[in-house]
Amino acid sequence: MTVTPALAPAYVYDFSEGDRTKVDLLGGKGANLAEMTRLGLPVPPGFTITTEACRYFLENGHGPSGLRRQIADHTARLEEEMGRRLGDPENPLLVSVRSGARFSMPGMMETVLNIGLNDASVAGLARMAHDDHFAWDSYRRLIQMFGKTVLGINGEEFESTLDQMKAKAGVATDVELPVDALRRLVDAYKSIVRESTGHEFPQDPYQQLDLAIRSVFHSWNTERARLYRRQERIPHTLGTAVNVQVMAFGNAGEGSGTGVAFTRDPGTGHSGVYGDYLADAQGEDVVAGIRNTSPLQALESIDPVSYAQLMEIMRTLELHYRDLCDIEFTIERGKLWMLQTRVGKRTAAAAFRIAVQLVDEGVISMDEALMRVTGHQLGQLMFPRFAVGGSDGRIAKGMNASPGAAVGRVIFDSPTAVKWAKDGESVILVRRETNPDDLEGMIAAAGILTSRGGKTSHAAVVARGMGKTAVCGAESLDVDTKARVITTSDGHLVKEGDVVSIDGSTGDVFLGAMPVVPSAVVTYFEAGLHAAVEDADDETAELIRAVDRIMTAADRARRLRVRANADTPEDATRARHMGAEGIGLLRTEHMFLGERKTHVERLILADTDEDRRQALDALLPLQRKDFIRILEAMDGLPVTIRLIDPPLHEFLPDLTELAVRVAVAEARGEEHEADLRLLQAVNRLHEQNPMLGLRGVRLGLVLPGLFALQVRAIAEAACFRQRMGGDPRAEIMIPLVGSIQELELVIDEAAGVLKEVADAHGCTLKFPIGTMIELPRAALTAGQIAEAAEFFSFGTNDLTQTTWGFSRDDVEAAFFSAYLEKGVFGVSPFESIDREGVGELVRIAVKKGRARRPNLHCGVCGEHGGDPESIHFFDEIGLDYVSCSPFRVPVARLESGRAAVSRHVTRSDTR
């Protein structure tokens, strides 16, 4: 019996074999190259090595069985299709090797161009192209790029050699180098390779290809790539695809060039021709920003036929992808080639404008528009902007690469930017042009300023993706990174540490700190649409109207209600303006601070019931007044009031300081009886781990009258508001409950106080009494606790601490950075909910609680209530509301709407 051998899995796909639905397998670049090929657009032929192959390679140190054979077969097929061979001295084929992950990571991984050139084939390329300059320029580019990315040679060695060669030839740019100089440059580059590695530059083109593919695989795990993924919350487990593609030469002389185009302005969202073009160059020249580009419109006069074809392709792609498209293209002697397309990164303002434009154009629905923006982008729009107008104080003007207002001290390198930022300084990273190695500094900086590059340079693309303010191509600034100084056009020196302000919306650069004014979007939330657009310029008014339409759609779609964490009437009022539908957490301990701490001290030091009563009586009117004002600000909306939570030692003097004070007084023979009694109380209340000690419900049970005082103040405040015609809707929340017995004891006491006050004042007090779920035991016994609790509010900050065994104040500084670096965390569990651990406890508690009490109201009041990713989880598990800081309320409203639409789409897709 003949057994047919199993076919090896396919690890390599021709561009004609895929489409954009295979993005997980082929990566974004490979899937989109396949999609453009399928659409019949002019794409140089090639093939994609899958992300599965990359993952196998990274896990095992070598490729899977059959990969090498598949690469060889596809390479041979490509050679046959093109009628040329890699390394052929008469008719050489050249290919590029590029990365292409599932999610766009601009500049973070490796690219190698011109694979296939060697000492023999460079002459064949020159004869074939009838252009010696083009051939030798391509060869030196290969050695330079291969040496840096594949062989790990410091790129400065190649750059400095190139600068020396240009200086010797008396030219300003590499394009102007004569052929003889390029030949000498190739020899010099080969010497660098030999001296740095101990080996000659590889002449075998298939070895070049193999090493380049390996280099791209390895680049998935470089420090800059991992850092970028942490910043963008991209999983480290995905791996990258590798794209091998026939070269299209933008550096082939007259009629050749390369560019980047966007189907709409990614900075503003406006329609129109937008992008950069660079004649006689390869694509990396544009992205790297090493030469200043021309606007894309210039191509119309240079090559009107290619320009018209490009405009038609841009329209085709935008309609096909139904979104802003980012396109890379090359023109080789009048022939247009498409090298890449993807849904383009955009600024926050552009995202909102484009979303509503596409709705108005009938391209997408309003629900789809809601999914095209994010809470993070809305938050960016709410930051302040510069108040300046005109050019007063301006020292330069560059390209408005990524909007925003940033003020900081000038720093010239990434490590220094990181160090200064860690020390609390706001910094502006200043470079001639950025490269992927600058990523850490770009993340740390408040803004980025470059003297070279355009709106599609590395600095611009990465800054827009991160929502970071950037001004690029400020050509009038002479940036000397070695001397660490900027020289302006009028000769003024700006040294490291000097303060500058950059406006990413206008491209203006100012010396010194410019004043800022509130965002018009914040004015919209606080004062309404009419007030926000009344005095706004046309562009700002257009943006505000776009935000208004998106927010209206979000409010209409969302199921989750949004409350605010607010402790003062001012916070409550602002939260209501921002769209909060109540208060989800009012921390009463803040009402005991300041001058009131003396009353708390009296309560702690009380030796008799009478002393305790007097201390409580002094606090009662103060608490009542606070509650009256907050219930008035939130009239008609629920106000969840958490009874005092922190341990009492927080209201007492520091133990060490007090002990020193007593000792000094004793030594001097001074009166110290009061301080001595206070020291004894502090010693008595001192705990090794106070956050797990006498606090929350435990405090209310151990210190008689404390919780009763607070409940009485709430009840009397509500009665007062009722008499004033108000509609107070207080909810009383008991913190740190671990068992139903604790809760029942407090509820019995509270019920007695409420009845007493209601009878005395003739008012109706039907306040729900519930608990915070912030201990694992409470989550696991939620069914029992729900017998007494009328609502649950998840305190996810403490629940995260107690689930992980973390002390937040200690661990974040101690080892979180190491945990993030080593991949233990993708993101801090205090920033975004830990779905598998803490989130699962929340899910269990909701399920068990509602099984016992079907109408149990459940919300979250930790900081996770304002985190976009966490909000989607809370919607998924059926919480009724989220609560966050007032400023984050609009973000929570938007993300709640997006969560509802996403859930609906997911359910539709699974039917």
Side-chain angles (χ1 to χ4, degrees):
M1 178 179 175
T2 303
V3 179
T4 304
L7 293 174
Y11 293 112
V12 183
Y13 286 75
D14 188 86
F15 290 166
S16 62
E17 297 174 320
D19 57 51
R20 62 174 171 163
T21 65
K22 293 184 173 64
V23 65
D24 290 330
L25 184 68
L26 304 179
K29 185 173 295 182
N32 288 322
L33 284 168
E35 189 73 9
M36 288 196 294
T37 300
R38 193 175 66 83
L39 291 173
L41 301 182
V43 176
F47 55 85
T48 300
I49 305 167
T50 67
T51 56
E52 289 180 348
C54 175
R55 289 193 293 270
Y56 188 99
F57 179 90
L58 295 176
E59 289 171 9
N60 299 279
H62 58 82
S65 175
L67 175 61
R68 189 179 292 273
R69 180 72 264 164
Q70 291 180 34
I71 293 173
D73 289 345
H74 277 77
T75 303
R77 193 181 307 165
L78 198 60
E79 290 175 324
E80 183 178 353
E81 179 181 353
M82 300 304 297
R84 289 179 273 160
R85 286 178 53 80
L86 290 176
D88 190 317
E90 298 299 327
N91 193 17
L93 174 67
L94 272 61
V95 298
S96 62
V97 177
R98 303 173 188 263
S99 62
R102 166 67 176 82
F103 298 101
S104 176
M105 295 172 55
M108 295 304 115
M109 292 181 291
E110 305 298 7
T111 291
V112 185
L113 306 181
N114 306 328
I115 291 288
L117 276 177
N118 55 27
D119 292 348
S121 63
V122 66
L125 180 64
R127 287 191 296 272
M128 187 173 70
H130 305 292
D131 190 337
D132 286 358
H133 187 281
F134 154 65
W136 286 96
D137 180 58
S138 297
Y139 195 16
R140 72 91 184 167
R141 288 172 182 270
L142 167 62
I143 301 172
Q144 181 174 356
M145 196 173 292
F146 195 95
K148 180 182 177 183
T149 62
V150 179
L151 303 178
I153 300 170
N154 188 338
E156 286 292 326
E157 294 197 45
F158 296 107
E159 287 292 340
S160 62
T161 302
L162 175 60
D163 288 341
Q164 292 168 18
M165 195 66 70
K166 287 189 292 187
K168 192 172 182 180
V171 299
T173 67
D174 50 354
V175 176
E176 299 171 278
L177 280 172
V179 174
D180 286 345
L182 286 171
R183 286 194 177 98
R184 291 195 301 274
L185 186 59
V186 165
D187 288 338
Y189 279 3
K190 286 160 68 177
S191 295
I192 292 173
V193 171
R194 186 185 313 113
E195 292 166 7
S196 299
T197 67
H199 300 284
E200 297 292 339
F201 177 76
Q203 294 294 303
D204 181 346
Y206 301 99
Q207 183 188 16
Q208 293 176 9
L209 179 61
D210 180 65
L211 291 174
I213 291 169
R214 289 170 174 268
S215 176
V216 173
F217 280 159
H218 282 302
S219 70
W220 173 257
N221 278 332
T222 59
E223 174 55 32
R224 70 184 186 223
R226 296 184 69 85
L227 178 63
Y228 185 87
R229 290 198 296 274
R230 287 198 300 272
Q231 173 76 10
E232 299 297 318
R233 299 188 183 182
I234 298 170
H236 291 306
T237 55
L238 299 180
T240 181
V242 180
N243 299 285
V244 178
Q245 187 174 25
V246 172
M247 282 295 304
F249 295 100
N251 63 326
E254 187 175 350
S256 301
T258 189
V260 176
F262 293 87
T263 56
R264 298 177 192 239
D265 187 332
T268 65
H270 295 148
S271 300
V273 178
Y274 181 87
D276 294 323
Y277 182 72
L278 193 55
D280 199 14
Q282 291 194 323
E284 295 304 301
D285 297 341
V286 177
V287 176
I290 57 177
R291 287 167 55 191
N292 285 338
T293 58
S294 300
L296 184 61
Q297 293 94 324
L299 180 61
E300 185 173 17
S301 58
I302 297 170
D303 185 347
V305 174
S306 294
Y307 179 81
Q309 185 183 6
L310 178 63
M311 293 299 105
E312 184 61 34
I313 289 173
M314 288 169 65
R315 283 189 289 272
T316 298
L317 288 172
E318 181 169 277
L319 287 173
H320 184 71
Y321 282 87
R322 302 164 67 243
D323 206 346
L324 160 71
C325 288
D326 172 356
I327 297 162
E328 293 181 18
F329 67 93
T330 284
I331 301 172
E332 181 181 347
R333 293 190 174 93
K335 169 65 176 176
L336 175 66
W337 293 103
M338 308 303 297
L339 303 185
Q340 176 170 304
T341 191
R342 59 191 171 199
V343 171
K345 293 183 181 294
R346 66 209 71 185
T347 65
F352 278 83
R353 285 198 185 96
I354 291 171
V356 297
Q357 285 170 6
L358 293 175
V359 171
D360 293 340
E361 293 166 17
V363 177
I364 62 175
S365 68
M366 203 63 209
D367 278 355
E368 288 176 293
L370 196 53
M371 300 308 295
R372 299 287 178 89
V373 298
T374 68
H376 177 68
Q377 290 169 329
L378 179 60
Q380 289 177 332
L381 293 180
M382 296 173 69
F383 289 129
R385 56 185 174 82
F386 287 138
V388 297
S391 58
D392 291 346
R394 189 173 72 193
I395 58 172
K397 188 174 182 67
M399 297 186 184
N400 51 332
S402 184
V407 179
R409 298 189 181 278
V410 168
I411 296 297
F412 291 96
D413 67 83
S414 181
T416 307
V418 172
K419 181 180 181 301
W420 284 40
K422 283 184 177 178
D423 292 339
E425 291 281 2
S426 177
V427 301
I428 304 295
L429 179 64
V430 180
R431 305 285 288 163
R432 287 195 185 99
E433 69 275 335
T434 64
N435 63 59
D437 293 331
D438 291 318
L439 182 63
E440 275 193 286
M442 296 174 76
I443 292 172
I448 300 146
L449 170 63
T450 70
S451 59
R452 298 178 184 171
K455 292 184 179 181
T456 58
S457 65
H458 175 268
V461 171
V462 173
R464 281 197 296 272
M466 292 193 300
K468 191 81 65 174
T469 300
V471 173
C472 295
E475 298 180 25
S476 65
L477 298 179
D478 181 8
V479 176
D480 189 336
T481 56
K482 291 183 179 178
R484 309 186 88 76
V485 66
I486 303 170
T487 305
T488 68
S489 58
D490 61 1
H492 185 87
L493 299 182
V494 182
K495 300 175 182 178
E496 186 160 77
D498 290 349
V499 174
V500 297
S501 303
I502 62 172
D503 189 333
S505 301
T506 65
D508 289 328
V509 182
F510 301 92
L511 186 61
M514 294 292 105
V516 296
V517 295
S519 159
V521 174
V522 172
T523 304
Y524 155 72
F525 284 118
E526 292 187 330
L529 178 63
H530 178 73
V533 302
E534 189 173 22
D535 297 320
D537 57 63
D538 290 345
E539 187 163 312
T540 302
E542 178 192 26
L543 172 61
I544 293 169
R545 290 190 178 96
V547 172
D548 178 65
R549 290 176 63 184
I550 293 289
M551 293 305 300
T552 300
D555 287 336
R556 187 182 300 121
R558 65 188 169 93
R559 180 193 59 80
L560 275 175
R561 299 299 92 193
V562 177
R563 300 187 189 182
N565 301 339
D567 305 330
T568 67
E570 294 75 21
D571 282 348
T573 299
R574 186 172 203 202
R576 191 159 191 163
H577 287 157
M578 291 286 187
E581 297 158 302
I583 292 178
L585 176 62
L586 192 162
R587 308 172 186 87
T588 57
E589 56 269 15
H590 292 175
M591 299 174 177
F592 290 102
L593 300 177
E595 296 178 358
R596 303 180 187 187
K597 289 179 70 173
T598 58
H599 299 304
V600 181
E601 287 184 12
R602 286 178 56 197
L603 179 63
I604 295 169
L605 296 173
D607 292 325
T608 66
D609 290 344
E610 179 60 22
D611 290 341
R612 187 176 298 109
R613 186 189 63 77
Q614 289 180 6
L616 292 170
D617 286 348
L619 285 168
L620 177 62
L622 301 174
Q623 284 257 281
R624 181 173 58 231
K625 182 179 178 181
D626 290 333
F627 292 136
I628 287 172
R629 293 177 64 204
I630 289 176
L631 289 172
E632 180 181 10
M634 278 288 169
D635 194 61
L637 296 175
V639 177
T640 304
I641 303 170
R642 183 180 74 184
L643 303 187
I644 190 167
D645 181 39
L648 286 182
H649 82 273
E650 291 193 10
F651 301 99
L652 296 175
D654 178 76
L655 175 62
T656 303
E657 291 179 4
L658 191 56
V660 170
R661 200 161 76 203
V662 169
V664 169
E666 284 180 344
R668 293 175 177 174
E670 298 172 350
E671 171 61 38
H672 61 277
E673 184 62 31
D675 278 349
L676 183 59
R677 290 184 62 216
L678 194 55
L679 178 60
Q680 291 169 345
V682 172
N683 272 316
R684 186 176 71 250
L685 292 169
H686 178 72
E687 297 173 300
Q688 293 299 323
N689 192 345
M691 297 313 292
L692 294 177
L694 183 59
R695 54 170 288 218
V697 66
R698 304 158 193 171
L699 193 60
L701 294 176
V702 170
L703 196 62
L706 180 58
F707 276 10
L709 153 77
Q710 293 194 288
V711 173
R712 184 176 298 277
I714 295 167
E716 291 180 358
C719 287
F720 176 82
R721 287 296 305 146
Q722 286 182 12
R723 288 197 302 272
M724 299 300 293
D727 181 18
R729 299 188 183 184
E731 300 176 350
I732 297 173
M733 182 161 67
I734 317 301
L736 211 73
V737 165
S739 74
I740 186 174
Q741 290 83 2
E742 292 173 313
L743 186 59
E744 286 175 336
L745 288 169
V746 175
I747 288 177
D748 287 346
E749 181 182 33
V753 173
L754 291 173
K755 184 178 187 307
E756 180 185 333
V757 173
D759 291 345
H761 294 274
C763 56
T764 302
L765 298 176
K766 293 183 178 178
F767 299 155
I769 301 178
T771 185
M772 286 186 83
I773 303 292
E774 46 195 331
L775 296 173
R777 190 183 193 280
L780 295 172
T781 62
Q784 297 174 28
I785 292 174
E787 293 179 11
E790 295 177 82
F791 66 85
F792 285 171
S793 180
F794 291 91
T796 51
N797 296 344
D798 272 353
L799 188 57
T800 298
Q801 291 195 95
T802 54
T803 300
W804 279 92
F806 287 157
S807 170
R808 179 175 184 174
D809 293 338
D810 299 321
V811 299
E812 287 191 308
F815 61 82
F816 265 34
S817 59
Y819 267 39
L820 289 165
E821 168 66 27
K822 295 177 185 299
V824 178
F825 300 146
V827 64
S828 165
F830 291 110
E831 182 180 340
S832 194
I833 195 77
D834 160 31
R835 288 185 174 227
E836 291 79 14
V838 179
E840 189 60 24
L841 285 174
V842 176
R843 188 193 302 270
I844 289 169
V846 171
K847 184 177 180 179
K848 288 191 171 187
R850 286 179 175 161
R852 189 61 59 94
R853 187 187 288 263
N855 61 344
L856 184 72
H857 208 61
C858 295
V860 61
C861 60
E863 282 304 305
H864 298 100
D867 170 62
E869 290 189 16
S870 302
I871 289 168
H872 285 249
F873 174 75
F874 297 138
D875 180 76
E876 173 191 316
I877 65 172
L879 295 193
D880 296 295
Y881 70 87
V882 296
S883 188
C884 56
S885 65
F887 193 79
R888 297 182 87 180
V889 165
V891 171
R893 288 166 53 198
L894 175 61
E895 287 296 344
S896 296
R898 296 181 71 243
V901 172
S902 177
R903 180 165 34 82
H904 174 73
V905 170
T906 301
R907 287 177 178 173
S908 298
D909 288 346
T910 57
R911 290 193 184 113

